[in-house]
Amino acid sequence: QVQLVESGGGLVQPGGSLELSCAASGIIFSTYDMGWFRQAPGKQRELVAVIMRGGNTNYAEFVKGRFTISRDNARNTVSLQMNTLKPEDTAVYYCNARKVASGSVYETWGQGTQVTVSS
């Protein structure tokens, strides 16, 4: 059974930091691109950051310089270090695993973890 489980969300003051983690099971983790997305109330889900299976990373403009994505293939985990958090970063953050193989897309989502940035 494929499963992604996020942890590390919570309430933090503006300017603070949080680290999210996502533990994967049921997949060959090293063959997947791993990403973090977020969805704020009333808004569409959007990409925050992605780390490819080869280690390359891409970030949304609104988090560049503040967030860092990393992966540990030995532990089947992907993390998102979030610094200098702003109220507009408040959202449910979702972990995503995706790969394309033999013309098919394999994709799994976690259940999400709430991040609230407020004083």
Side-chain angles (χ1 to χ4, degrees):
Q1 180 181 0
V2 181
Q3 194 172 19
L4 300 177
V5 179
E6 301 101 333
S7 61
L11 173 64
V12 63
Q13 292 187 342
S17 298
L18 278 177
E19 183 174 21
L20 306 182
S21 293
C22 171
S25 59
I27 59 172
I28 303 175
F29 183 80
S30 61
T31 67
Y32 280 74
D33 298 331
M34 300 299 299
W36 286 96
F37 290 71
R38 71 186 188 186
Q39 188 166 18
K43 295 188 177 181
Q44 290 189 333
R45 191 172 297 189
E46 60 185 358
L47 174 68
V48 175
V50 61
I51 183 165
M52 309 303 184
R53 58 185 181 179
N56 290 340
T57 58
N58 283 310
Y59 295 91
E61 282 296 325
F62 52 78
V63 302
K64 280 185 178 179
R66 299 190 297 126
F67 292 10
T68 302
I69 189 170
S70 60
R71 66 188 296 159
D72 185 338
N73 288 342
R75 297 185 177 185
N76 289 2
T77 58
V78 59
S79 298
L80 185 69
Q81 176 64 45
M82 305 185 294
N83 298 327
T84 320
L85 283 160
K86 306 175 181 179
E88 51 264 44
D89 294 318
T90 296
V92 177
Y93 284 70
Y94 296 90
C95 181
N96 172 271
R98 188 177 189 274
K99 76 171 182 180
V100 179
S102 302
S104 297
V105 178
Y106 300 87
E107 188 167 36
T108 300
W109 293 90
Q111 82 287 350
T113 185
Q114 176 70 46
V115 172
T116 302
V117 185
S118 174
S119 55

